[in-house]
Amino acid sequence: MSAKIISLAAVLVASVAALPQATASIAAVASASTSIATGPSTSVPLSTVLSSAQVSLQTGAASHGSKIPYWSRCPLPVTSTTTSSKRYAPTITWPFLENGNFIDWKTYKSNGANLGGWLEKEKTHDPIWWDQHAPDANDEWTFCQMLGPKCGPVLEARYTSFLNTSTIDQLASVGVNTLRIPTTYAAWVKVPGSQLYTGTQQLHLRTITHYAITKYSMHIIIGLHSLPGGVNSLDIGEGLGHDAWFYNSTNLEYSFLAIDAVLFFIATSGHTSSFTLAPINEASDNLAGFGSAAGLSTNATNWILTYIQGVFKRIALVDKRIPLMLQDCFQGASYWAPFYAAGTNIVFDSHVYYFAAAGTYSEYVLPAVCGQAAYIQESETKFPTFIGEWSLQAMFNNTLADRKSIFDTERYAWEKYNSGGAFWTAISYSTAAVDGEGTQRDYWSYIDLINAGVITKATNASYCS
Ligand SMILES: *[C@@H]1O[C@H](CO)[C@@H](O)[C@H](O)[C@H]1NC(C)=O
Ligand SMILES: *[C@@H]1O[C@H](CO)[C@@H](O)[C@H](O)[C@H]1NC(C)=O
Ligand SMILES: *[C@@H]1O[C@H](CO)[C@@H](O)[C@H](O)[C@H]1NC(C)=O
Ligand SMILES: *[C@@H]1O[C@H](CO)[C@@H](O)[C@H](O)[C@H]1NC(C)=O
Ligand SMILES: *[C@@H]1O[C@H](CO)[C@@H](O)[C@H](O)[C@H]1NC(C)=O
C-alpha cells in the first residue's frame, strides 16, 4: 500500500470513530466531516501517479463490447406514428432503504431526480440569475473569472436560494426515493490554476443529503461531473473547450484526490449505505461526436478504465458495498461490461434525451419508450442499467398536454426494464424556446411539473403496461 492510500484509510477510520451520533445537529455533523483536499503544485509523472494509486495503465480498450446506439435508434422505429389512446395505471412500489441496508442496483428501482444546476451551475437552467452577474460568461469557469473575488459570495448565496429542504419535501411527496447530485471537482479538491470555485459546497450537500436520508430514506448518487483539465469540452466538464483531463497525469492525481474527499464525505455521513459514487460523467475526447459513440476514442477509453480501476481501489478501502456508477459516455452499458468481472459492484448509467434524437416528434415518443428501455437492458445482461438523465422535451411538436403521458411512460419503463432513472432536473428556470408550446422549463423542471399536476405520485397515464 502506498503512503497516500494508507493515510486516507487512517483518516477515515479516525473520523468515523469521532462522528457525532445521529442526534447531533446537521451543522455539527457537517462541520465535523468535510474536507477539501490539496495536492501537488507541480506536475506529477504518470509512473508516480499510477504506482501511488496501485493501478496500471490500461491498454485493452479495443476489447470493448458492442456500442449500443440507443440515443438515435429504437427497436420500435422512432418514426412510428402508431399511437393508441389507451393509458395504463400500473402499480409501482418504490423501495426505500433503511440505514445500514446497502443498495443492490440489480433489484433497486429508482424514482429519481437530479439536483442539477445547483452545486455545478449551468447557464441554461438558471439564466436569469446568471445574467444578473456575468451575462457574457457561458460556463462556470468564465463566470468566476469575470466575477473575481465576488464569485464565491454570489455562488454561496445561490446554493442556498436555488433549492432547500422544502424542495426535498416536494420531491418526496410524489415518491422520489433517489437523488443524483452533480458536483464539480472544486467542491472536493483545490486545483492550482483552476477558476472553479472551492467553497462550502460540501456543507450544502451535507445539509440536503442528511435531510433527504434521515427524513425520507432517499438514496444519494454523488456525481463528480467535472474533472481537472476538463472531460468533454462542455461547461459541465470543467469549461467550454477544455478536454485536458485525458492523458494528463497531474489531472489524474487530482481526480483521485477528489475521489478521496467524496469517500471521506460518505464515510463520515453516518449513512454510508445511502450513497453511490459516480466518478465521471459524459466524458468525450471528440466534441464533434458528442452524444454518440463517436464521442469517445479507444485511447480515451483506456484512460477512463485506468481511472476507474483506481476509484475501485479507493472505494475498497472504505467499504466495497458502496456501488460505483459508471456513466456510459454514450457508448451503451454493453461497451463497458467486458472490462468488469461478474459480481463487480457497478451499475451503468445511460442518458436518454428525445430532444436530441434526430427526427423525434413528441407524437413518436410514447411508442418508442418501452421498447427502448427493454433494448438498453437486454443488450446488457451482466450488470444493472440506470437512466441517469431524461427530460420531457422532444425535438419537434412539444405540447403541454402530452407531458403527463410522456412522464408516466418513461418513469414506468425505466422501472420495469432498468433500475429506474433520475429526471433532469429538480429545478430549471430555463427560458430557451422549444419547438411547439412553452419553454424548456415546462419540460425540464420537476418541481414545476409537480406544481402543474403533471408529475403525481400515481403513474396513471402510461402508454405501455
Ligand atoms: C425554500 O425555497 C422556496 C422557493 O425558493 C421558498 O418558498 C421556501 O420558503 C424555502 N424554504 C425554506 C425552508 O427555506
Ligand atoms: C497537465 O495539466 C496541468 C494543469 O493544466 C499542466 O500544468 C501540465 O503541464 C499538464 N501536463 C502534465 C504532463 O502534467
Ligand atoms: C493515448 O494514450 C496515451 C496514454 O494513455 C497517451 O500518452 C497518448 O498521447 C494518447 N494518444 C493519443 C493519440 O491521444
Ligand atoms: C406536428 O404538429 C403539427 C401542428 O400541430 C401537425 O399538423 C403535425 O401533424 C405534427 N407532426 C407530426 C409528425 O405529428
Ligand atoms: C392520476 O392521478 C392523479 C392523482 O394522483 C389525478 O389527479 C389524475 O386525475 C389522475 N389521472 C388519470 C388520467 O387518471
Side-chain angles (χ1 to χ4, degrees):
M1 274 203 164
S2 74
K4 184 167 289 140
I5 287 195
I6 289 173
S7 71
L8 166 70
V11 168
L12 286 174
V13 169
S15 59
V16 172
L19 193 70
Q21 292 312 300
T23 51
S25 72
I26 292 172
V29 173
S31 60
S33 55
T34 59
S35 107
I36 297 196
T38 52
S41 52
T42 53
S43 65
V44 198
L46 182 59
S47 56
T48 308
V49 177
L50 296 177
S51 69
S52 127
Q54 300 178 357
V55 297
S56 53
L57 187 66
Q58 301 298 294
T59 55
S63 349
H64 61 75
S66 57
K67 302 180 182 191
I68 298 298
Y70 60 82
W71 59 89
S72 63
R73 180 183 156 260
C74 303
L76 299 174
V78 88
T79 51
S80 167
T81 49
T82 327
T83 51
S84 147
S85 58
K86 176 107 178 89
R87 297 292 178 266
Y88 297 91
T91 305
I92 304 173
T93 307
W94 303 104
F96 289 87
L97 299 177
E98 292 304 316
N99 190 27
N101 286 341
F102 278 83
I103 192 168
D104 178 354
W105 279 99
K106 281 193 166 148
T107 53
Y108 186 70
K109 298 293 179 181
S110 164
N111 185 15
N114 282 279
L115 304 188
W118 175 42
L119 297 177
E120 180 178 57
K121 296 308 293 174
E122 289 181 42
K123 187 177 190 172
T124 310
H125 292 292
D126 206 359
I128 298 163
W129 167 84
W130 187 287
D131 287 347
Q132 284 166 3
H133 298 288
D136 295 332
N138 290 315
D139 54 24
E140 197 177 320
W141 181 282
T142 318
F143 184 92
C144 278
Q145 234 167 11
M146 288 180 165
L147 287 182
K150 278 196 238 147
C151 187
V154 163
L155 285 176
E156 291 289 346
R158 194 54 173 161
Y159 296 151
T160 307
S161 65
F162 189 70
L163 58 82
N164 58 37
T165 54
S166 309
T167 315
I168 305 304
D169 293 335
Q170 251 193 304
L171 297 175
S173 74
V174 293
V176 166
N177 64 0
T178 308
L179 302 175
R180 179 172 176 268
I181 311 181
T183 62
T184 71
Y185 62 81
W188 308 102
V189 64
K190 188 90 195 111
V191 176
S194 174
Q195 299 300 309
L196 293 183
Y197 171 65
T198 298
T200 70
Q201 291 100 320
Q202 288 182 41
L203 294 181
H204 296 279
L205 186 65
R206 184 68 88 195
T207 303
I208 290 297
T209 57
H210 184 81
Y211 184 81
I213 293 166
T214 54
K215 184 146 189 204
Y216 297 112
S217 297
M218 288 186 187
H219 189 77
I220 312 295
I221 301 158
I222 298 187
L224 202 48
H225 274 217
S226 64
L227 290 172
V231 283
N232 54 18
S233 303
L234 300 178
D235 55 345
I236 52 169
E238 180 188 74
L240 293 168
H242 300 197
D243 67 351
W245 179 73
F246 294 100
Y247 323 127
N248 181 305
S249 49
T250 310
N251 289 330
L252 182 61
E253 173 69 5
Y254 274 103
S255 305
F256 285 139
L257 293 172
I259 290 294
D260 290 349
V262 178
L263 284 167
F264 181 83
F265 180 92
I266 292 174
T268 54
S269 66
H271 300 273
T272 302
S273 63
S274 300
F275 291 89
T276 289
L277 171 59
I280 195 165
N281 181 63
E282 296 185 352
S284 166
D285 63 330
N286 172 23
L287 186 59
F290 186 83
S292 78
L296 193 72
S297 68
T298 307
N299 209 37
T301 300
N302 277 322
W303 191 254
I304 293 174
L305 292 172
T306 305
Y307 169 56
I308 297 300
Q309 192 186 55
V311 176
F312 269 122
K313 293 252 170 173
R314 291 170 130 86
I315 290 176
L317 289 168
V318 177
D319 196 320
K320 278 188 166 178
R321 295 172 297 176
I322 301 167
L324 188 154
M325 178 173 281
L326 183 55
Q327 208 286 322
D328 74 3
C329 307
F330 302 101
Q331 310 301 301
S334 53
Y335 176 85
W336 302 94
F339 301 117
Y340 300 103
T344 304
N345 195 4
I346 194 167
V347 49
F348 291 102
D349 167 18
S350 299
H351 296 171
V352 177
Y353 280 122
Y354 292 102
F355 84 90
T360 305
Y361 283 79
S362 79
E363 293 88 341
Y364 301 165
V365 172
L366 294 179
V369 173
C370 287
Q372 186 159 31
Y375 179 60
I376 289 172
Q377 185 58 56
E378 278 157 14
S379 34
E380 176 41 53
T381 52
K382 197 159 75 169
F383 297 110
T385 58
F386 171 75
I387 312 303
E389 293 188 19
W390 59 286
S391 70
L392 299 187
Q393 188 185 341
M395 192 171 265
F396 303 117
N397 270 18
N398 292 283
T399 71
L400 299 176
D402 282 347
R403 293 178 301 173
K404 180 153 179 60
S405 263
I406 294 178
F407 182 88
D408 278 7
T409 306
E410 293 197 49
R411 182 169 66 178
Y412 167 74
W414 313 146
E415 185 273 342
K416 179 166 171 66
Y417 297 101
N418 316 102
S419 304
F423 187 86
W424 189 274
T425 182
I427 310 270
S428 172
Y429 295 117
S430 178
T431 50
V434 301
D435 187 81
E437 291 178 350
T439 60
Q440 267 192 351
R441 179 176 172 173
D442 297 309
Y443 300 85
W444 295 70
S445 172
Y446 202 100
I447 292 292
D448 284 351
L449 289 163
I450 296 175
N451 291 336
V454 170
I455 301 181
T456 56
K457 194 165 197 169
T459 301
N460 54 6
S462 173
Y463 179 81
C464 30
S465 64

